[in-house]
Amino acid sequence: MTDLERQGKLAKQAAFSLASAGTDKKNEALEAIASILMERANEWLSANEEDLKAAEALGMRSSMLDRLSLDKKRIEGIVEGVRQLKSLPDPIGHVDSMDTRPNGLIIGKKRVPLGVIGIIYEARPNVTVDAAALCLKSGNVCILRGGSEAIRSNMCAVRLMREALVSAGLPEDCISLVEDTGRESARELMHLDKYVDVLIPRGGAGLIRTVSREASVPVIRTGEGVCHIYVDDEADLDMAASVLYNAKCSRPSVCNAAECVLIHEKVAEEFLRKAVPLLDRDKVELRCDERALSILGERGRAAEEADWDAEYDDYILAVHIVGSAEEAIDFINAHGSSHSEAIMTRNYFKAQDFLEKVDAAAVYVNASTRFTDGFEFGLGAEIGISTQKLHARGPMGLQELTTIKYIIYGKGQIR
């Protein structure tokens, strides 16, 4: 038996204990996790500093360093998310329906945990806590497998959380970390279907596609974010420029950041006059179609075909001019990743048409795509943004981490 198989076996054993733990016990453990992360934040920050130094030495670009970085404010936000989960209703044990059949059988659907969830993710140490806390509240055990860039941060966070679990009277193996960050460990986890019930990849397009293609464990796809802002000819252009700047530049390395702006030809020149000075603050590179390039001149560069499907995770923005809202919708449905899309317009009917026809997990009117987030949606946090249509779509909170069990009451009926 390999080390990962042993880890899976311990996780499966812990799952039986956690599944029957009540809401009070799980909330006690969440509070213990929140408390220890705040009380010993310096340990986590020290481990993160080592990760950052190693990443800088390897030449990691600034936007990715931002994903990796922790500070007191971010830790406070992570802890607030854990505590918010405490106040949310526990989905486990909820009976969705209860019907009596003609033969007298009473058949109900009851919410139960998925079981053991494997999570493969990249250089974002906040995911370690967000994912573990969501799994815990929803009665699921998690096996976490982060990237090598954040290994010290992840090891520290998991060590602290396991201490908190024990102090609350739950098995420490409710949360565990795969400390081997080599490709073989990821591949083995993808095929650990004897112990792992669901696998959730969270990261860039390459990681998600690899896991989806190779895993024998059932996969929930998350995170690919080729998000668009469409600026209509009836938009408030000042507002649109502000929203675009936020969607692109507030955190360009996250999956809900805008990667492409579509601009109606009637307002293209005026809008770019307003938007480019904002984008200049962060030296955003603009990759433009021919019409946009004719307006921007040397400020832009010619886009290649691949730019319309790119998730940059950086200060790069594709710029495409369209002739109508219908053309924008068609472009988004052809090039988007079904994550988050936005229209900027004062026309109610265009907004409703956009909401109806755009195929994405989250569709916005006059707001930044950066709000696609479990905390912002009132879910406490999310384990990922699902871009598929089976079982879960959008930010995956507590409800999405459950399945159903049929419960049947009889009086000796036979078939």
Side-chain angles (χ1 to χ4, degrees), residues 198-236:
V198 177
L199 198 59
I200 301 175
R202 182 168 172 176
L207 169 69
I208 294 162
R209 290 168 187 166
T210 298
V211 174
S212 299
R213 182 176 62 250
E214 295 189 11
S216 57
V217 176
V219 174
I220 300 175
R221 291 175 64 108
T222 71
E224 263 184 278
V226 182
C227 305
H228 300 76
I229 303 284
Y230 165 55
V231 181
D232 185 50
D233 61 327
E234 296 183 72
D236 178 326

Side-chain angles (χ1 to χ4, degrees), residues 236-246 271 274-275 278 344:
D236 178 326
L237 298 185
D238 289 314
M239 180 175 68
S242 174
V243 167
L244 175 63
Y245 177 67
N246 174 266
F271 174 73
K274 294 175 181 291
L278 298 179
M344 308 299 298

Side-chain angles (χ1 to χ4, degrees), residues 178-198:
V178 179
E179 296 184 5
D180 179 355
T181 59
R183 290 185 179 179
E184 279 305 312
S185 69
R187 190 172 292 109
E188 186 179 358
L189 183 57
M190 292 180 210
H191 297 285
L192 205 65
D193 41 27
K194 184 176 180 180
Y195 302 112
V196 177
D197 297 289
V198 177

Side-chain angles (χ1 to χ4, degrees), residues 277-288:
L278 298 179
L279 299 170
D280 283 344
R281 296 175 185 175
D282 293 285
K283 300 178 181 177
V284 175
E285 180 182 318
L286 303 177
R287 298 187 181 179
C288 308

Side-chain angles (χ1 to χ4, degrees), residues 256-267:
N256 56 22
E259 303 292 13
C260 180
V261 60
L262 306 174
I263 314 166
H264 195 288
E265 60 189 6
K266 290 182 180 178
V267 296

Side-chain angles (χ1 to χ4, degrees), residues 341-401:
E341 309 292 355
I343 181 173
M344 308 299 298
T345 187
R346 286 182 278 209
N347 185 306
Y348 170 83
F349 299 101
K350 286 183 182 178
Q352 293 305 114
D353 197 50
F354 191 87
L355 291 172
E356 181 72 24
K357 293 180 179 177
V358 167
D359 182 18
V363 186
Y364 294 81
V365 176
N366 295 329
S368 171
T369 56
R370 288 279 288 109
F371 284 103
T372 307
D373 173 87
F375 185 79
E376 295 291 343
F377 280 18
L379 305 177
E382 95 275 326
I383 208 160
I385 311 293
S386 172
T387 54
Q388 65 184 35
K389 298 181 182 180
L390 297 177
H391 171 62
R393 198 175 194 201
M396 291 181 61
L398 297 175
Q399 184 79 4
E400 289 73 27
L401 295 179

